[in-house]
Amino acid sequence: MGGAGREGEIGHTLGSGAGGSPGPVPSPGVNGGTETMALQTAQPPLGSRWTSTRGSLLLLLLSLGWVLPSRAQAADSRLGVMTPWLQGTSRDLTWQWPELTVILSRDRRDTQKKVCPPGQKAHVVDENLVFYEEWELEACVDGALLEAQMDRVNMVPFTYQQLDVFKRKLDQLYPQGYPESLIQHLGYFFFEITPEDIHKWNVTSLETVKSLLKVSKGHKVDAQVAALIACYVAGGGQLDKATLDVLATFSPTYLCVLSPEQLGSVQHSVIWVARAQDLDACRPPQMDVLYPKARTAFQNLSGSEYFERIKPYLGGARTEDLRALSQQNVSMDTATFKTLQREAVLPLTVAEVQNLLGANLAGLKAEQGNSPVRDWILRQRQDDLDRLGLGLRGGIPNGYLVMDLSFREALSGGARLLRPGPVFTAILALLLGLIPK
């Protein structure tokens, strides 16, 4: 498959079947180039690579601390040369192998070459490809081969750069998004996929979701997981409780893509770790579910500690909840006040809002043209607003008749059914009847 003595970039994506810590690591380079660590020992022809040499490759990875012993066990299951050594290896890899010499540089290759050298066309994904340079992988490996042998891709210690080549190959094969038949077998290669790529997918099988969550557990791929869940739910997929329990081990960036019904099964542990930005995209029906769960989760807290915890969920609070908070001297900031449901804010009195905002009351002035502050001002008497000393305008003028706005909105909504003339006449007759004779 390649010439003798080829020096290859070494990373680790050693297997999807043995547990441990998956995922490649970038090879240490010199001057930011593609120089990497490699074996100095002479290599036999790649087509007849010795098993002991492959074992030495894994030993080198372990000696450099690039893979954990538990992860190397996946590749060792096929090589059969390292099991006794692995069993006696601790996690402290500070020993040295005198027979292995590290080369810190190599000649730069012509990455523009596109023609596969004779005899190097890849027909199987195996350890031999580790010694291919990037341009050789580009020229000698087909995307169809990678798709058919994705399980093997996850069993070989390819570098980040080599995996990038493979991803480009697959992207060229499926520019509109991977089919589910390929997605089901991605394994640890899922870590190479961007959230933007995932949003192109059409995932319909819950088993596909579960398989990718399984390999992702314990790794910082929360953005990919959130995109996967969004893709699945957008296609009408339903998450069972077991899957929601697995999701609880990831950062809850996925919360706002779940339906209210699915949110009902979310564990309280998720509520504890969710951040305000995780809830930014949630709609009122979702907050209606999350707020009661948060109130239950934080029920043993009090004072400012309770308020700081419940604050991101207040978009689901009712009027009575806000009134209770107004008695606790919480000093709600105006940014949080803006997230409150309009229907929950409108019934609050001027005194209740004053107590609710406390030291942040002056922020109402800047928000008087925006909902829900604008709508709340329209419901208050102007003289009550004047007592705040903020210069708020738009309240009900002194001496005017206060009418229930719900009645006014009902009339407005029914304008298509009732002619303006009769409605105006009825209101005028009502007002004239109130004038003393």
Side-chain angles (χ1 to χ4, degrees), residues 132-410:
Y132 277 47
E133 297 182 38
E134 292 174 45
W135 72 266
E136 291 174 304
L137 293 177
E138 288 275 10
C140 302
V141 179
D142 293 330
L145 174 65
L146 296 172
E147 178 183 19
Q149 300 189 16
M150 182 54 63
D151 292 339
R152 288 176 172 266
V153 172
N154 287 306
M155 291 293 292
V156 179
F158 292 116
T159 66
Y160 277 132
Q161 294 84 357
Q162 291 172 323
L163 291 175
D164 286 343
V165 174
F166 293 162
K167 182 180 182 301
R168 287 197 297 271
K169 288 284 185 178
L170 293 173
D171 291 347
Q172 292 167 5
L173 191 62
Y174 295 110
Q176 302 304 317
Y178 298 171
E180 191 157 8
S181 58
L182 170 57
I183 298 170
Q184 291 172 342
H185 298 282
L186 285 180
Y188 296 119
F189 195 80
F190 178 62
F191 303 165
E192 306 302 313
I193 311 300
T194 67
E196 292 73 21
D197 293 327
I198 296 172
H199 283 299
K200 299 178 183 178
W201 295 355
N202 180 27
V203 179
T204 60
S205 169
L206 182 58
E207 292 307 313
T208 300
V209 174
K210 288 182 176 181
S211 68
L212 294 179
L213 290 181
K214 182 178 180 180
V215 300
S216 300
K217 191 172 182 179
H219 300 275
K220 296 185 180 300
V221 288
D222 297 321
Q224 287 94 322
V225 167
L228 173 65
I229 298 303
C231 174
Y232 176 68
V233 172
Q238 295 294 318
L239 300 172
D240 58 18
K241 187 177 185 304
T243 306
L244 289 171
D245 290 344
V246 174
L247 278 175
T249 63
F250 295 89
S251 177
T253 53
Y254 56 85
L255 277 179
C256 292
V257 306
L258 301 182
S259 67
E261 293 74 21
Q262 292 168 340
L263 287 173
S265 300
V266 167
Q267 299 179 8
H268 284 168
S269 60
V270 176
I271 302 299
W272 274 91
V273 299
R275 303 161 301 173
Q277 55 265 39
D278 296 330
L279 306 174
D280 284 344
C282 286
R283 301 179 302 277
Q286 295 168 307
M287 296 305 298
D288 288 343
V289 176
L290 289 172
Y291 174 73
K293 294 180 75 70
R295 190 172 56 183
T296 301
F298 308 141
Q299 61 185 344
N300 292 328
L301 303 178
S302 60
S304 60
E305 186 179 7
Y306 172 80
F307 178 68
E308 288 302 316
R309 285 289 186 179
I310 200 70
K311 187 164 64 171
Y313 299 93
L314 288 176
R318 297 291 182 263
T319 301
E320 54 269 25
D321 300 316
L322 299 179
R323 282 176 173 152
L325 283 177
S326 72
Q327 303 302 315
Q328 299 179 24
N329 191 30
V330 294
S331 291
M332 179 185 295
D333 56 276
T334 51
T336 301
F337 190 80
K338 289 169 58 178
T339 67
L340 303 179
Q341 293 189 31
R342 175 180 176 273
E343 293 73 17
V345 170
L346 292 184
L348 297 177
T349 66
V350 171
E352 288 169 341
V353 169
Q354 185 175 17
N355 290 337
L356 187 63
L357 296 180
N360 299 313
L361 181 65
L364 286 181
K365 179 64 176 178
E367 295 295 331
Q368 65 177 344
N370 304 318
S371 183
V373 177
R374 177 195 61 225
D375 304 315
W376 175 78
I377 289 176
L378 293 174
R379 292 285 297 263
Q380 312 308 313
R381 289 185 178 274
Q382 186 60 49
D383 55 352
D384 291 336
L385 294 173
D386 291 341
R387 293 191 186 98
L388 297 178
L390 302 177
L392 299 178
R393 293 291 180 266
I396 300 169
N398 301 334
Y400 275 64
L401 177 67
V402 179
M403 298 181 62
D404 188 349
L405 287 186
S406 63
F407 173 70
R408 185 178 72 179
E409 292 167 356

